[in-house]
Amino acid sequence: MIQISIATSNQSSMSVYPILEGKALTAAGKSVQSEQAIAHFLASGEHHGKYGIIRTIYQADARTVFIGAGDLGKLTLQKLRALASKVALKLNKNSVEAADIYLSELDIDGASLANKVQAIAEGIWLGLYTFDTYQTKTKEDKIQLTSVNIVIDGDESKAKAALDTAKAIASGTIFARNLGNEPGNVCTPEYLGEQAAALSHPKLKTTVLDKAAIEKTGFTALLAVNQGSDIEPRFIVMEYNGAGNNDAPIALVGKGLTFDAGGISIKPAAQMDEMKFDMCGSAAVLGIFKAITEMSLPINVLGVIPSTENLLGGSAYKPGDIVTTYKGLTIEVLNTDAEGRVILSDALAYAAEQNPAEIIDFATLTGACVIALGGQATGLMGNSDDIKQGLIASGQKTHDRVWEMPMFEEYQEQIDSKIADIKNTGGREAGTITAACFLSRFVDNIPWAHLDIAGTAWNMKGTDISPVGGATGAGVRLVVDYLQNKASDVS
Ligand code: BES
Ligand code: MN
Ligand code: ZN
C-alpha cells in the first residue's frame, strides 16, 4: 500500500483538482486559475467537468490535473471513492511519484470531511490493487506512484483519524482480495489456517483444528463434504477480546470452500475455475479480523471458518447420502453441489453453542443470488430485524450494499425431507432463500443474519474501485462499519 498523508497546503509539483460540470472550480482550483497555462486551458473549453474525465496541464515547474467531478448535486461518497481510484491509477500509469489531491473540498450532501477523507483514501488504495505475483516476466522498471497527500481545509486531527480507519479497512479488504485471488492449489484449507494464525494481536487467540481434531470434536458435516478431497479440512476459530470484558461476542462465520467442483453432482466445465473464489466468505471474515485488530476496535468478536474442497474422489459423499451433523440434525444430500450449507451447518451450530450476542455469516452460497441481484448487492436474510437494519445502513454508507430477501416461514417447507430432518436443496424456486432456511435450522434463537455474497465476492470485469477484476473483498467494508457502530453504541 502506498503512503497517503493528510496535508493542509501544497507539497509537491503535481496537483489534482476537481472540476465540476459547467467548468466550476472549488476554492483550491480557483486559487490557481489565474496561472497562465491553467487560464488558457480553462478558457479553451477542453474540459467541461464531465465525471471521470482527466486532463493534465504541463507547466515548466509543475503539473496540474483536472478531474471531472460531474454535477455536484449527483456526487456521492462512492462516486468520490471511484474518482480517487481513477485518478490514482492514471497518475501511476503516467509515472507520477507524488501528488497532492484536492478532492476533499467537494461538497457532498450529508458527508463530513472525515467521511470524504476516508472515501478518497479507500479509493486510492483499493484502486491501485493488483494481483500479479505469478507473472514472472520482469516488468519494465517504471516509476510508480508512491505517495499522495490528501489536501484538506478543516480539522486535521479528524482527517488523520479517518485516514487511519481507511488504512485498516483497505488493508483488510486487500487481505480478503489476495486470499480470494490465490489459486486453489495454493489457497487450500491448510493455507487459510496459516493465514488466520498469522494475524496477530495481543487480544486475539486463533485455534486451527486439523482433520484429527475435527473428527474428535465431531464436525461430521464438514467431514462428509471433505470425503471427496485428498487434502485435509480445517476448522478455524478466532477469538478477539477487543472490549476486554466478558460481553458476549458477535460471531462471524465464513464459508471456506477452497475449490468447489460440485462433487459427484459435478458442475459444468465453463467457468469452473471461478470456484476457487468459493472461499470468499472466509476471506471476508479474515479481512474483517485484519481490519478490526489493526484498529484495535473495542468489541468482542468470534470468528468461525469451516474449510474444505468439494471434489469427486472415490470416497466422496453422494446424492442420497444422509449426513448427521455436529448439532445432531440429519441432512438428506440430494445434490452434493449444495455443499456450502452442509459445512456451514456445523460452523453455525458451533458458533451458536458459544452463546454469542449475534451471528453474521458470509457465503458464496447460491448461483440463484447471482441471478437475482447480480454484482450490485449482497443477498441479506436472517431472523433479526435489528441486525438486518444495521447492515442495510452500513451498506448504504460504505456502498458495500445488501438487499433483503424474505424468509416467510412457508419457504421452510421446501427443505422438508421424507427420510431425514432436512434436505440440502429446496429445488430451483427461491434457491437463495431456501439455502438461508437451511442455515436457519442451525442457529437456534440467536439473532442472526446471512449474507449471500455469491454475486458480489468477485467480478471478472472489474469494478470502479476494483479495476483489475477478481476478488472484491465484499463484506469487509460493510461489516467493519457495522462493528464500528456496535463498538460506539456500548462505549
Ligand atoms: N458455490 C456455489 C454457489 C455459486 C455458484 C456461487 C456460482 C457463485 C457462482 C454453491 O456451492 C452451489 O453450487 N450452489 C448450488 C446449490 C444448488 C445445487 C441447490 C447452486 O447455486 O447451483
Ligand atoms: Mn457447490
Ligand atoms: Zn460452493
Side-chain angles (χ1 to χ4, degrees), residues 468-486:
V468 283
T472 59
V476 176
R477 278 188 291 130
L478 172 74
V479 172
V480 171
D481 184 74
Y482 177 85
L483 294 174
Q484 280 181 291
N485 292 340
K486 286 277 170 184

Side-chain angles (χ1 to χ4, degrees), residues 265 317-323 331-336 419 424:
S265 315
Y317 82 141
K318 304 172 295 297
D321 283 3
I322 294 180
V323 172
I331 303 170
E332 180 186 10
V333 175
L334 288 180
N335 190 320
T336 62
I419 56 171
N424 80 332

Side-chain angles (χ1 to χ4, degrees), residues 73-139:
K74 289 191 190 145
L75 209 58
T76 60
L77 280 175
Q78 175 64 8
K79 284 205 166 145
L80 182 63
R81 203 179 271 115
L83 221 46
S85 271
K86 225 182 217 320
V87 81
L89 261 183
K90 178 80 165 188
L91 295 171
N92 191 53
K93 199 167 154 214
N94 292 358
S95 296
V96 174
E97 242 180 307
D100 297 331
I101 292 189
Y102 291 85
L103 289 173
S104 75
E105 56 177 35
L106 284 167
D107 276 319
I108 296 177
D109 221 16
S112 65
L113 175 66
N115 294 152
K116 292 186 283 185
V117 166
Q118 187 180 332
I120 292 166
E122 286 173 359
I124 295 169
W125 276 316
L126 297 178
L128 290 173
Y129 173 80
T130 54
F131 184 76
D132 54 11
T133 33
Y134 297 100
Q135 295 186 317
T136 60
K137 262 196 319 198
T138 30
K139 306 214 174 55

Side-chain angles (χ1 to χ4, degrees), residues 255 257 260 275 278 337 339-340 364:
K255 171 178 172 182
L257 246 297
D260 178 15
M275 282 298 118
D278 209 18
D337 197 11
E339 83 300 335
T364 47

Side-chain angles (χ1 to χ4, degrees), residues 173 176-177 180-181 274 277-278 280-281 283-284 361-380 395 399-403 405 450-466 469-478:
T173 306
R177 286 183 182 179
N181 287 331
E274 292 181 19
F277 294 117
D278 209 18
C280 283
D361 79 75
F362 305 73
T364 47
L365 203 61
T366 64
C369 194
V370 190
I371 302 300
L373 300 175
Q376 302 307 330
T378 290
L380 170 68
H399 207 260
D400 192 355
R401 294 174 296 186
V402 299
W403 195 260
M405 301 210 210
H450 161 58
L451 295 167
D452 193 331
I453 56 171
T456 48
W458 73 94
N459 189 316
M460 300 318 279
K461 292 198 289 270
T463 70
D464 51 3
I465 55 163
S466 186
T472 59
V476 176
R477 278 188 291 130
L478 172 74

